[in-house]
Amino acid sequence: MPSDLTEVLQLVRSLESEGEGETTLTDIGFTVTASDLDRDKLFDVIEAVHTHPEWFTDFELRTDSPTIRLFGKSGTGVVTHSDGFEELAELDLSTNHDRSERGFNNYRDSNIERAVEFVHTLVDGLHTNDGHSVTLTGIVDKSTIEDELISTFPSVLQSEIDVFLWPDPDTLGQWVESKSIADVIDAFFAFEKLPVFVFESSFSSIFDASVVTTLEDVDELEGQELADSRDQYQEAMQRARKSTVWHDDLSPVPPAAVIPVRDVIPGFQPVLVYSIYGVFSSAVEVKNGAIEFTVTSEPTTFTKQVDPHDASRDHDLAEIEGLVRAYEIYAEHEDKAAFRDFWRLAIANTCDDLLDLPEHVEEVREYYEDLQVDAIEENFDDLSDAIQQINSFMTGLTSRVSNAATQLSRQIQTLLFTLIGTIVANLFLVLRWNNVTYVPPFSLFIVVVLVGIYFPLIQDRIEDLTGLREEVKKDYEMYEAEIRRFSEQIFDFEELEGRKDSYICMAKKKEKWAQERLALIFRLLMVTWAGLAIWSFVGYPVASMQTTVGAASLIGLIGIWQYHGEKEYFDYQYMIGCVTAGFGVLGLRFLVETSLWTF
């Protein structure tokens, strides 16, 4: 496609040179007198439209006095307008237009070159013999072509790239000059889409926070190169948006996306001015048709209304380079709020006006560096305190996690010992009185106490350990941010974070272990509960103490569910099974005894 497209664009540019043309953001329009074109040029135009009708929004050949459309574009290529030829028939013409219409229609699908012969004969005859001028107009649909170019990129990148096709950088510059800076920014710099500028001209491709390439090279763009540029652009856009308040739906333009291409696209100089002054400002908004940049550094605030187009013309090349140099100094710490404030303070105390900045770059830099030194000296004690605090934090973290995990283990062990004690107590009852009369009610009482009182306590301890993990994460992030505010080199954060993660992992494993054990014991107790209740209902008279305790325990289980049903260990299905089995057996017992009593 790029080779065909290059030929079409070259053809359109040649038509513009012979007639009129206009390139906009979405299309390229051209108008030319058809009789001024030789046969080959006319053939090239019609063949291009006929072969790639999707690349053209409009195309037509028409007479001017009167205006009669003779040929146009359809989805299948160039076609005749029968109504137009009927209008020609009403004129007193010597040209055999019927033959041209029939000839074109006969050959348009099989031999477009032969078909164009009839068009050329018609145009020449109308002009030479009948004195009618024939105009050829067309509109190239840039948007469709740009979408086709995007489709050649890796699919994972297609939604994150905007392609902008222009004949050459000068044409782009002319369009930029004719539009407001807000329109230019809105057209090219979407927040999450890497701008890729594709020109017909030949030069070396540029891959940075924006991409500039040619039609000849667009097929050779590597997916990894585009992905890297996309990442750079999005990160730069994030920094630009974070550093400044942008009002009135104005979009930031990261200087990193404009500086590398400023030599290739000189027309982007207004964009460069807007982007650099924008990130240096505290706020940017539209006022009175201009861009108002506000630099605030307490107690100083000054504003400047600037037309970036005018400013870029007023600044000479040396001043533009001064702006670029100023941004390069600023960019070293652009992501740190304190240093952004220092930079604005340096501007406010060095320049009388924002537009004076290019002439005072060195003074601003020196003032800025002095502020950095002062800040380091004033905050060194705070830095030492922060380091001491994080050391204390890591020491305390070990103790807190260890104690919490130990307490949780002990409570699980206590639960197990209680169950073992219940078994031993039941054995004592059996051996002491040589019967099992008190085993069901005693065991049910123990189970009720465990499930209703002790289980929630253990679950609370597990949740406390979970809360401790979250608290540790927040504390660590706070201390880390405090130290990073000063320097990332003083502390080995990778090793420190590894230690923190190991403690958190240990706590998480203990939580999981305790939760699994608690859930397992709960299910076992539900099965035991059901078994004891059934034993009470089947093994003893209906009016016995055992049956009463069994029924009361099941009712108590329903009450426990009301209060503790949301606990993580609580298995609703096992609880329903226990209650259903118990009361089912009791109901069956009543039914059987009622039947026996009746008979």
Side-chain angles (χ1 to χ4, degrees):
M1 182 184 73
S3 60
D4 291 347
L5 184 55
T6 300
E7 293 176 2
V8 170
L9 290 180
Q10 289 175 344
L11 174 62
V12 170
R13 293 183 72 183
S14 69
L15 293 175
E16 289 178 328
S17 66
E18 297 184 30
E20 298 177 0
E22 181 184 13
T23 301
T24 69
L25 183 65
T26 57
D27 51 49
I28 304 172
F30 56 89
T31 301
V32 65
T33 302
S35 56
D36 292 342
L37 304 178
D38 59 29
R39 177 198 169 282
D40 291 339
K41 181 67 69 67
L42 183 63
F43 167 72
D44 290 340
V45 176
I46 295 178
E47 182 193 38
V49 179
H50 193 72
T51 306
H52 299 287
E54 71 279 4
W55 290 356
F56 292 82
T57 304
D58 191 25
F59 170 82
E60 69 175 21
L61 274 167
R62 66 173 185 270
T63 62
D64 291 334
S65 298
T67 300
I68 300 174
R69 296 183 67 196
L70 302 177
F71 296 89
K73 182 193 80 75
S74 72
T76 58
V78 179
V79 296
T80 58
H81 283 287
S82 57
D83 292 344
F85 279 91
E86 289 176 2
E87 291 182 51
L88 281 184
E90 298 174 1
L91 303 178
D92 184 16
L93 302 174
S94 61
T95 302
N96 189 348
H97 52 80
D98 287 337
R99 180 176 180 275
S100 296
E101 181 184 14
R102 289 194 306 272
F104 181 85
N105 288 333
N106 287 337
Y107 289 101
R108 67 176 292 273
D109 294 326
S110 58
N111 188 343
I112 188 62
E113 184 174 5
R114 181 75 181 91
V116 174
E117 289 283 357
F118 291 95
V119 178
H120 184 262
T121 300
L122 176 64
V123 170
D124 185 61
L126 289 173
H127 173 68
T128 304
N129 301 327
D130 298 306
H132 287 280
S133 176
V134 179
T135 300
L136 183 152
T137 64
I139 299 175
V140 177
D141 186 356
K142 286 174 54 181
S143 299
T144 297
I145 297 172
E146 288 164 353
D147 288 342
E148 288 189 27
L149 291 175
I150 290 175
S151 69
T152 65
F153 300 148
S155 57
V156 295
L157 296 175
Q158 291 176 11
S159 63
E160 297 181 311
I161 290 178
D162 270 337
V163 167
F164 302 102
L165 174 66
W166 290 86
D168 54 67
D170 290 339
T171 305
L172 171 57
Q174 292 169 10
W175 184 86
V176 170
E177 187 65 28
S178 69
K179 300 296 179 181
S180 70
I181 193 67
D183 289 340
V184 174
I185 303 311
D186 186 58
F188 296 129
F189 297 95
F191 183 65
E192 294 182 343
K193 288 193 173 185
L194 169 71
V196 177
F197 298 94
V198 180
F199 297 107
E200 178 194 332
S201 314
S202 296
F203 48 78
S204 299
S205 297
I206 297 174
F207 292 91
D208 213 288
S210 58
V211 175
V212 176
T213 188
T214 65
L215 276 173
E216 182 181 355
D217 297 331
V218 74
D219 272 347
E220 300 177 6
L221 296 182
E222 296 288 339
Q224 187 58 52
E225 291 178 320
L226 289 172
D228 291 343
S229 292
R230 174 207 58 193
D231 293 342
Q232 291 180 51
Y233 176 77
Q234 292 179 354
E235 290 170 5
M237 184 64 87
Q238 288 279 10
R239 291 194 299 271
R241 175 166 287 190
K242 183 179 179 180
S243 66
T244 304
V245 178
W246 304 86
H247 296 288
D248 306 308
D249 294 326
L250 283 173
S251 174
V253 176
V258 186
I259 291 174
V261 304
R262 68 187 188 279
D263 293 332
V264 176
I265 313 177
F268 262 10
Q269 196 157 294
V271 182
L272 179 65
V273 169
Y274 169 87
S275 67
I276 294 180
Y277 283 146
V279 296
F280 286 173
S281 300
S282 307
V284 180
E285 59 184 313
V286 178
K287 273 197 177 177
N288 303 320
I291 305 297
E292 183 173 272
F293 299 98
T294 301
V295 178
T296 300
S297 183
E298 297 297 341
T300 304
T301 296
F302 63 79
T303 61
K304 182 67 176 180
Q305 291 186 13
V306 177
D307 182 338
H309 290 88
D310 293 340
S312 66
R313 285 189 289 267
D314 293 340
H315 289 325
D316 58 27
L317 182 59
E319 290 174 330
I320 292 294
E321 290 304 313
L323 271 181
V324 172
R325 189 167 67 256
Y327 174 73
E328 290 171 348
I329 298 169
Y330 170 81
E332 294 177 5
H333 301 291
E334 184 179 3
D335 57 338
K336 295 180 174 62
F339 287 95
R340 292 198 297 268
D341 292 340
F342 291 161
W343 183 258
R344 287 165 184 155
L345 180 60
I347 293 176
N349 285 278
T350 306
C351 304
D352 296 326
D353 188 291
L354 186 61
L355 297 184
D356 293 339
L357 176 60
E359 301 173 1
H360 299 280
V361 173
E362 288 305 312
E363 297 171 49
V364 172
R365 180 186 61 78
E366 291 174 2
Y367 197 104
Y368 173 64
E369 291 176 351
D370 289 343
L371 289 173
Q372 292 182 50
V373 172
D374 292 343
I376 291 173
E377 291 176 351
E378 291 174 4
N379 291 295
F380 190 78
D381 289 340
D382 292 339
L383 174 60
S384 299
D385 291 342
I387 294 174
Q388 182 63 40
Q389 287 173 359
I390 201 166
N391 279 318
S392 300
F393 164 73
M394 295 304 296
T395 302
L397 173 60
T398 307
S399 175
R400 292 164 66 192
V401 172
S402 177
N403 290 340
T406 301
Q407 290 178 9
L408 188 56
S409 297
R410 285 176 179 171
Q411 288 192 314
I412 295 291
Q413 291 172 359
T414 301
L415 176 60
L416 294 174
F417 288 147
T418 302
L419 293 176
I420 294 172
T422 302
I423 296 172
V424 172
N426 280 323
L427 288 174
F428 174 77
L429 291 174
V430 172
L431 295 174
R432 174 67 178 81
W433 283 285
N434 198 27
N435 66 62
V436 294
T437 302
Y438 296 103
V439 170
F442 175 74
S443 299
L444 283 172
F445 173 76
I446 297 298
V447 171
V448 169
V449 171
L450 290 177
V451 174
I453 299 175
Y454 201 66
F455 267 62
L457 293 177
I458 297 177
Q459 184 64 51
D460 288 344
R461 297 291 78 74
I462 295 175
E463 292 173 0
D464 288 345
L465 189 55
T466 303
L468 175 61
R469 281 197 300 110
E470 296 303 318
E471 183 183 339
V472 165
K473 288 181 181 178
K474 292 178 181 178
D475 287 349
Y476 176 81
E477 290 170 359
M478 179 187 69
Y479 287 124
E480 181 185 11
E482 183 70 15
I483 291 181
R484 285 188 188 276
R485 196 165 61 87
F486 300 98
S487 172
E488 297 185 9
Q489 309 302 322
I490 295 178
F491 233 84
D492 186 351
F493 283 103
E494 184 175 346
E495 180 180 351
L496 187 65
E497 188 165 359
R499 288 176 57 198
K500 179 262 297 181
D501 289 343
S502 67
Y503 294 137
I504 290 178
C505 183
M506 181 179 70
K508 192 172 183 178
K509 287 181 179 178
K510 183 59 69 174
E511 287 173 40
K512 183 179 179 182
W513 175 85
Q515 196 67 65
E516 289 175 350
R517 297 302 182 279
L518 195 61
L520 176 61
I521 295 172
F522 178 83
R523 290 193 290 270
L524 290 174
L525 286 180
M526 287 298 100
V527 174
T528 303
W529 197 325
L532 291 170
I534 292 171
W535 182 7
S536 300
F537 299 150
V538 174
Y540 299 92
V542 173
S544 66
M545 177 265 292
Q546 286 82 358
T547 300
T548 302
V549 171
S553 72
L554 292 178
I555 295 172
L557 177 56
I558 295 174
I560 291 172
W561 166 65
Q562 292 292 328
Y563 287 99
H564 303 306
E566 298 300 322
K567 299 292 186 182
E568 192 168 343
Y569 64 80
F570 203 96
D571 193 315
Y572 183 74
Q573 293 179 338
Y574 272 77
M575 187 277 292
I576 290 294
C578 175
V579 173
T580 302
F583 280 125
V585 170
L586 181 59
L588 184 61
R589 173 76 181 275
F590 274 117
L591 182 62
V592 171
E593 292 201 1
T594 301
S595 299
L596 292 175
W597 182 80
T598 302
F599 289 104

